[in-house]
């Protein structure tokens, strides 16, 4: 029997609750400072207490995971706190494709995969001198929007960057990524691809509430003009969306193109949960500015299922539970190698 393990943050509660509902043992790798929070939840069977998440790389902890026959579910915290090399060095089987996480963290690789999937991607700009119109400036990795800023020309870029360096939000030698700002309705499309069934499932869609760009939008322009701080895009919460039904066909097609593209570029492809992130314009065309190659925190909204999972399952199905079910199915047909790396 397999156990499901994950880091105590991001979507750990959803993942472990889903695993418990599927009858699997649950293990939380928990920083000591968060122990009190996670002890509140009875569905967590075992705690591996660490001072820092990086400790999980130690033999001492990986052997506990091994003894438990555990599969590690990667999420945003794993990516933001560990390097690609560290993630790739895991001895514990990782659900999905751990090699594709490098493609999520690296902006150039990310862009390459999005183009391979034939997504409409906002243009990236390699030199701040070439900024000519509204751009968003991003950091590498899964920074969650913290330290991002907007600019319309090189001077604004330099001023905002300098302010953030002064504040200590970004470092002086940090490599920033400049992308055309796409306006419209933001949407984060959540999928699950099963290599066992060779089928794509559309799981749900959410929007993010980001501080303090959202706060800024709530005040009238004359007061906005006086705000000197550089607003950030730091995700604070998520809320659900449903799309116009006429958009769904293209939603599936984008997901399938992504699965195909990743099969071509990052063996064994995009298995398990992923998210395509972008903006719908006035004509309902989707511009993709990002993807996440693992479960996203926006799936936490749908712990009891989403409108789209209701169409596929006659029971509450969260992304966490869907992952656990895939593990169970693979275990019973001896195909764990197909769903882990
Ligand atoms: P990301 O880390 O790329 O998901 O970006 C964090 C946030 O920045 C997103 O949730 C959006 O609010 C915003 N954002 C990122 N890229 C763009 C873009 N090209 N155009 C407009 N907004 C963007």
């Amino acid at each position: 029997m397999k156990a499901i393990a994950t880091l105590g943050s991001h979507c750990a509660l959803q993942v472990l609750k889903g695993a418990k509902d599927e009858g699997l043992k649950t293990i939380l790798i928990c920083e000591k400072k968060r122990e009190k929070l996670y002890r509140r939840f009875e569905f967590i069977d075992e705690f591996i207490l660490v001072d820092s998440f990086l400790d999980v790389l130690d033999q001492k902890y990986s052997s506990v995971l091994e003894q438990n026959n555990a599969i590690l579910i990667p999420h945003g915290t794993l990516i933001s706190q560990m390097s690609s090399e560290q993630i790739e060095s895991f001895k514990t089987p990782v659900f999905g494709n751990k090699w594709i996480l490098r493609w999520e963290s690296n902006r150039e690789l990310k862009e390459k995969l999005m183009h391979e999937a034939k997504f409409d991607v906002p243009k990236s700009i390699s030199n701040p001198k070439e900024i000519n119109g509204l751009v968003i400036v991003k950091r590498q990795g899964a920074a969650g929007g913290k330290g991002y800023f907007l600019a319309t020309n090189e001077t604004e870029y330099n001023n905002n960057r300098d302010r953030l360096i002064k504040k200590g939000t970004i470092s002086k030698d940090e490599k920033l990524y400049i992308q055309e700002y796409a306006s419209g309705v933001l949407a984060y499309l959540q999928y699950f691809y099963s290599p066992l069934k060779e089928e794509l499932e559309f799981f749900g869609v959410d929007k993010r509430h980001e501080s303090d760009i959202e706060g800024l939008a709530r005040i009238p322009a004359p007061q906005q003009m006086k705000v000197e701080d550089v607003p950030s895009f730091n995700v604070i919460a998520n809320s659900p969306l449903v799309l116009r039904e006429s958009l769904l066909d293209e939603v599936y097609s984008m997901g399938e193109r992504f699965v195909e593209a990743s099969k071509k570029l990052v063996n064994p492809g995009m298995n398990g949960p992923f998210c395509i992130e972008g903006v719908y314009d006035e004509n309902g065309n989707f511009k993709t500015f990002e993807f996440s190659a693992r479960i996203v925190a926006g799936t936490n909204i749908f712990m009891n299922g989403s409108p789209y999972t209701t169409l596929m399952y006659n029971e509450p199905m969260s992304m966490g539970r869907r992952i656990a079910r895939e593990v169970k199915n693979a275990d019973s047909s001896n195909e764990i190698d197909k769903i882990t790396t």
Side-chain angles (χ1 to χ4, degrees):
M1 185 62 129
K2 296 284 174 202
I4 296 292
T6 201
L7 303 187
S9 185
H10 195 267
C11 56
L13 292 172
Q14 183 207 158
V15 165
L16 298 187
K17 174 69 167 61
K20 194 77 200 166
D21 289 344
E22 288 296 298
L24 300 179
K25 180 173 178 182
T26 59
I27 302 172
L28 186 77
I29 300 149
C30 183
E31 286 180 326
K32 288 175 186 152
K33 62 180 182 199
R34 297 248 179 103
E35 183 183 0
K36 193 166 165 227
L37 165 71
Y38 285 104
R39 290 276 181 205
R40 294 173 190 272
F41 302 98
E42 286 186 351
F43 54 80
I44 305 176
D45 296 320
E46 189 169 329
F47 281 68
I48 297 180
L49 292 173
V50 291
D51 290 312
S52 137
F53 286 134
L54 288 175
D55 294 350
V56 81
L57 295 160
D58 285 0
Q59 175 68 31
K60 186 168 100 185
Y61 298 109
S62 58
S63 57
V64 177
L65 293 173
E66 197 184 331
Q67 282 153 23
N68 277 288
N69 226 345
I71 290 178
L72 184 73
I73 313 303
H75 55 52
T77 304
L78 186 86
I79 295 178
S80 65
Q81 305 220 350
M82 285 183 203
S83 68
S84 299
E85 288 76 20
Q86 286 169 326
I87 295 171
E88 288 163 4
S89 75
F90 275 132
K91 300 277 179 294
T92 310
V94 174
F95 188 79
N97 181 353
K98 68 179 174 188
W99 309 105
I100 203 171
L101 299 176
R102 177 183 286 274
W103 291 63
E104 173 179 337
S105 298
N106 178 297
R107 294 278 173 200
E108 275 85 44
L109 291 176
K110 181 172 248 177
E111 216 180 285
K112 188 171 169 192
L113 191 47
M114 292 197 290
H115 285 301
E116 183 67 35
K118 301 201 166 45
F119 290 163
D120 182 1
V121 183
K123 221 176 89 196
S124 60
I125 293 157
S126 49
N127 189 333
K129 287 190 186 353
E130 287 159 21
I131 300 174
N132 173 21
L134 188 59
V135 297
I136 181 162
V137 184
K138 307 183 187 189
R139 303 168 72 194
Q140 301 283 332
K146 201 165 188 176
Y148 290 14
F149 61 91
L150 301 176
T152 51
N153 54 44
E154 190 191 2
T155 314
E156 261 179 40
Y157 172 92
N158 288 332
N159 289 344
N160 284 339
R161 181 173 165 265
D162 290 349
R163 275 192 209 167
L164 289 174
I165 292 171
K166 227 178 184 169
K167 265 175 76 180
T169 314
I170 60 176
S171 64
K172 224 170 123 197
D173 46 7
E174 202 165 323
K175 198 171 163 216
L176 299 175
Y177 175 83
I178 309 169
Q179 188 177 55
E180 263 178 12
Y181 189 88
S183 54
V185 174
L186 290 152
Y188 300 81
L189 311 171
Q190 308 161 5
Y191 301 86
F192 184 92
Y193 178 74
S194 164
L196 302 179
K197 289 171 38 187
E198 295 187 1
E199 234 169 64
L200 178 75
E201 297 167 25
F202 176 50
F203 247 73
V205 47
D206 71 286
K207 67 172 179 175
R208 296 182 184 168
H209 299 276
E210 295 163 333
S211 193
D212 195 30
I213 194 72
E214 188 167 305
L216 198 64
R218 283 168 53 88
I219 58 176
Q223 280 79 31
Q224 277 184 16
M225 307 279 283
K226 293 185 194 131
V227 175
E228 295 233 317
D229 248 8
V230 183
S232 178
F233 291 75
N234 195 17
V235 183
I236 300 295
N238 303 73
S239 55
L241 286 182
V242 271
L243 296 174
R244 279 176 75 152
E245 200 159 306
S246 55
L247 297 174
L248 283 182
D249 199 32
E250 178 59 12
V251 166
Y252 278 97
S253 164
M254 282 192 294
E256 280 165 355
R257 295 202 308 268
F258 188 69
V259 168
E260 280 316 305
S262 54
K263 266 188 192 145
K264 213 162 135 190
L265 296 183
V266 210
N267 194 42
M270 184 65 262
N271 297 334
F274 64 98
C275 183
I276 299 175
E277 310 171 1
V279 170
Y280 279 103
D281 72 12
E282 58 189 340
N283 299 314
N285 293 322
F286 195 73
K287 274 208 178 246
T288 308
F289 54 68
E290 278 278 350
F291 67 80
S292 299
R294 35 78 197 175
I295 185 170
V296 287
T299 57
N300 287 339
I301 300 163
F302 305 121
M303 294 212 204
N304 225 9
S306 78
Y308 301 102
T309 61
T310 303
L311 300 173
M312 294 183 287
Y313 294 94
N314 290 318
E315 60 191 323
M317 185 58 67
S318 69
M319 189 65 92
R321 186 168 186 181
R322 180 65 188 86
I323 292 170
R325 184 155 300 178
E326 190 81 347
V327 169
K328 255 172 59 176
N329 291 342
D331 202 20
S332 64
S333 57
N334 258 326
E335 291 179 291
I336 287 292
D337 285 352
K338 254 191 171 173
I339 61 156
T340 57
T341 42

